[in-house]
Amino acid sequence: MTAVARSRARLRSTRGIAGLVCGVLAAGGLAAAGTGTLEPEAAHASSHREAPLISGQPSYDNTDVYAFVSPDKPDTTTIVANWLPFSEPAGGPNFYTFAEDARYDVHIDSDGDAQGDLLYRWTFDTRTKNGDTFLYNTGPVTSLDDPDLNVTQTYDIDLLRLKDQKVVSTKKVADDLPVAPSHVGKASMPDYAKLRGQAVRKLSDGGTAFAGQADDPFFLDLRVFDLLYGGDLSEVGRDTLAGYNVNSVALQVPSASIRQSEKQPTVGVWSTTQRKNASGKWTQVSRLGAPLVNEVVVPMKDKDKFNASSPWNDADFLPYVSKPELPRLIESIYKIKAPKEPRNDLVSVFLTGVKDLNQPPGVRPAEALRLNTSVKPTASPKRLGVLDGDNAGYPNGRRLGDDVLDISLQVVQGELVGQKNDLGDAVNANDRAFGRSFPYLALPTSGSRGPLAEKGARSGSDDGSGAPGNAMNGGAPATAARDTDDSTDTVLLASAAAGGAGLLLLILGLVWWRARVDGAGPRGRGPGAMGG
């Protein structure tokens, strides 16, 4: 298969049956999750709540990995990895932090042998200024070092160089950098874009780093779990992850520092999470590279084995890729013909990279994102990436805006072997626009709700790049909304103290009301009202 993907002139229509089939793809991911218990040295499936154990450990659950040539700095590569799926923005008073007993790792294979040559490791530290309050912040937060930000996190990044999977050197490339906090709301964080900007830090080795909360960039329709859309396919097309946040780490480095050479510019990228077990030994509990592979390719009996292994051993799972279950399932249910086996097209996409595009010479089959760092970004990215003639997109790495669900479904059903199809879930873009500069992620959804929040969003927001945007751009307004009238739909709690005072008044009011009721006799349902 060659690297030059053909460009399509026809419009891709989204059909009801296509949306349902795409739902089956997502459902297959959860069905394959497994139910085993965690034992020392064992790892379990990761991504958006794909396994029972990891779903109860969101701080260790790696949801997605992205790797792409930076659109505004084409001599650099940006890597993004996300944790904490389905973070509800208003989920206080204990908001979302990275785990202190975890190692958040990004692995880079620069020669295609399925062994990491470089490993970037994030570790986090949490500090609480005042343990005598339940508040995450004790007043409006205007900077990352604001005394009113009660709970703060910092992080280190260590760069480990490896040979034959053994560490040969370690270098600290970031020390005690601040984490952007959870976006509590507009009263607490009136200018969240400013906080985001303060969390973007230059590194001594020429890189740039960010860690903090962001809008979940993955977009897809997962409503299939309500009995396959409740039998009403008109409801297909809702972005299930819209409005939810994740915790992200992002790193932008010179491409020359991670690839083998200009002649061999392709790197493999995957992430893992390690956690200390009861005996104090580090245990891998999450692994993620290319999207959807461990969800719908590996069967239940080998799910734990796959996640406990390293890419070096992924040839053990080759039969599941060359003879996949999903196309046969789709054919049996929807009569859409499954391609002939063995599926060498899927091997190239998921395990080796595509020949003449992102396949390293002498590659060892392994599950990872493979990015050819010499392919320049395009000014007009296409959501279907290589399938639509855009070789800067998935499966050549993964950009934030790549529609990996539609791409994967179409490839699985034979798009690359001449069985043309337009399968998709009718969710073609993220609910919030991505930024134009590092870290590119949309700002997290605010914990604020109601008319005041909507008014603030309409007044202008930021897309994470420093340029004004609109309510769909992923951010808070540049300044807090202020209202001086007495209308009931524009009440702003000026500080946490005001919120506490309101709660106290409410409690006193309830006490007063109960006292009146209890003294009113049978008419007021007081003592004796129920006949003893």
Side-chain angles (χ1 to χ4, degrees):
M1 183 167 50
T2 62
V4 181
R6 69 218 179 288
S7 186
R8 301 178 187 175
R10 72 181 186 276
L11 293 175
R12 294 180 166 270
S13 60
T14 304
R15 305 181 180 95
I17 183 83
L20 184 54
V21 172
C22 198
V24 171
L25 175 68
L30 270 80
T35 58
T37 58
L38 181 64
E39 299 174 353
E41 305 306 311
H44 290 250
S46 67
S47 199
H48 286 72
R49 296 182 58 83
E50 255 70 12
L53 180 65
I54 203 66
S55 68
Q57 303 176 13
S59 294
Y60 311 90
D61 185 357
N62 189 187
T63 67
D64 288 285
V65 180
Y66 302 81
F68 51 93
V69 177
S70 309
D72 56 330
K73 293 184 178 180
D75 61 337
T76 69
T77 294
T78 295
I79 298 171
V80 176
N82 299 328
W83 283 265
L84 277 140
F86 293 105
S87 296
E88 159 58 42
N94 298 300
F95 288 92
Y96 306 100
T97 56
F98 291 95
E100 293 183 279
D101 63 340
R103 290 172 170 174
Y104 299 95
D105 294 343
V106 169
H107 307 252
I108 298 175
D109 170 18
S110 61
D111 54 14
D113 65 354
Q115 298 187 68
D117 300 297
L118 302 174
L119 186 154
Y120 286 95
R121 170 166 291 163
W122 283 256
T123 53
F124 292 82
D125 183 54
T126 307
R127 300 182 180 93
T128 301
K129 296 184 178 73
N130 181 6
D132 292 328
T133 177
F134 64 85
L135 294 169
Y136 182 78
N137 57 290
T138 55
V141 176
T142 59
S143 67
L144 294 183
D145 59 359
D146 194 314
D148 287 326
L149 184 56
N150 190 38
V151 180
T152 61
Q153 284 200 300
T154 57
Y155 66 97
D156 296 348
I157 305 177
D158 293 301
L159 172 59
L160 286 64
R161 296 187 180 275
L162 305 102
K163 179 69 174 177
D164 296 327
Q165 304 185 74
K166 295 182 180 179
V167 177
V168 296
S169 69
T170 302
K171 176 184 178 182
K172 188 171 292 295
V173 297
D175 184 21
D176 210 31
L177 297 185
V179 175
S182 296
H183 194 348
V184 176
K186 293 179 175 59
S188 293
M189 297 169 182
D191 190 351
Y192 192 87
K194 179 182 177 181
L195 302 179
R196 156 71 68 85
Q198 293 175 353
V200 175
R201 296 299 179 97
K202 296 291 184 181
L203 304 179
S204 59
D205 64 352
T208 308
F210 167 79
Q213 195 177 56
D215 169 74
D216 191 335
F218 196 25
F219 49 93
L220 76 169
D221 189 338
L222 284 177
R223 200 222 151 205
V224 62
F225 306 117
D226 183 13
L227 298 179
L228 297 178
Y229 297 105
D232 183 359
L233 298 182
S234 68
E235 295 189 13
V236 172
R238 176 180 175 268
D239 182 359
T240 312
L241 299 178
Y244 289 106
N245 298 323
V246 290
N247 275 20
S248 299
V249 301
L251 185 67
Q252 187 176 79
V253 295
S255 297
S257 69
I258 60 173
R259 66 191 182 195
Q260 186 181 60
S261 65
E262 289 187 9
K263 292 183 179 180
Q264 204 308 90
T266 297
V267 296
V269 180
W270 69 95
S271 65
T272 59
T273 313
Q274 294 184 357
R275 184 182 188 183
K276 281 188 177 180
N277 60 22
S279 63
K281 190 172 183 178
W282 289 103
T283 301
Q284 182 177 303
V285 296
S286 180
R287 171 188 165 194
L288 201 66
L292 303 174
V293 173
N294 61 348
E295 288 87 347
V296 300
V297 174
V298 180
M300 193 180 303
K301 66 179 181 179
D302 278 341
K303 185 68 66 177
D304 292 341
K305 177 183 176 182
F306 176 84
N307 283 279
S309 69
S310 69
W312 175 260
N313 298 311
D314 279 355
D316 294 345
F317 307 99
L318 180 61
Y320 302 138
V321 178
S322 60
K323 296 182 179 181
E325 176 187 9
L326 181 61
R328 299 194 297 269
L329 178 64
I330 293 174
E331 180 178 12
S332 67
I333 297 175
Y334 300 106
K335 312 308 177 186
I336 301 175
K337 186 175 178 59
K340 293 182 180 180
E341 299 173 344
R343 295 295 303 277
N344 293 327
D345 58 319
L346 298 186
V347 173
S348 67
V349 170
F350 295 132
L351 295 180
T352 66
V354 180
K355 186 179 179 181
D356 298 326
L357 175 60
N358 62 341
Q359 184 180 115
V363 65
R364 185 184 184 102
E367 192 273 303
L369 278 179
R370 298 194 184 276
L371 172 67
N372 185 337
T373 60
S374 69
V375 177
K376 300 301 181 185
T378 176
S380 301
K382 297 180 180 178
R383 70 178 182 90
L384 294 179
V386 175
L387 281 185
D388 205 9
D390 180 2
N391 283 352
Y394 185 75
N396 181 27
R398 181 185 179 185
R399 300 170 299 196
L400 296 175
D402 287 338
D403 195 344
V404 296
L405 197 62
D406 284 15
I407 295 169
S408 297
L409 183 60
Q410 292 176 25
V411 168
V412 162
Q413 212 57 26
E415 184 71 26
L416 298 181
V417 292
Q419 293 189 198
K420 311 236 185 290
N421 64 85
D422 293 309
L423 300 179
D425 64 349
V427 181
N428 298 336
N430 193 44
D431 60 313
R432 293 175 176 270
F434 299 118
R436 296 185 292 274
S437 62
F438 182 86
Y440 307 104
L441 295 154
L443 295 180
T445 299
S446 166
S448 300
R449 293 291 190 272
L452 176 65
E454 293 175 3
K455 178 178 180 180
R458 287 193 299 269
S459 69
S461 64
D462 193 283
D463 64 4
S465 64
N470 54 48
M472 295 302 290
N473 273 0
T479 58
R482 303 294 181 187
D483 242 302
T484 57
D485 62 34
D486 295 326
S487 60
T488 58
D489 63 347
T490 56
V491 177
L492 174 64
L493 297 181
S495 67
L503 180 61
L504 178 60
L505 288 173
L506 176 60
I507 294 172
L508 291 174
L510 289 172
V511 172
W512 172 84
W513 174 81
R514 183 57 186 266
R516 285 198 60 184
V517 168
D518 288 348
R523 181 180 178 184
R525 297 297 183 187
M530 299 299 294

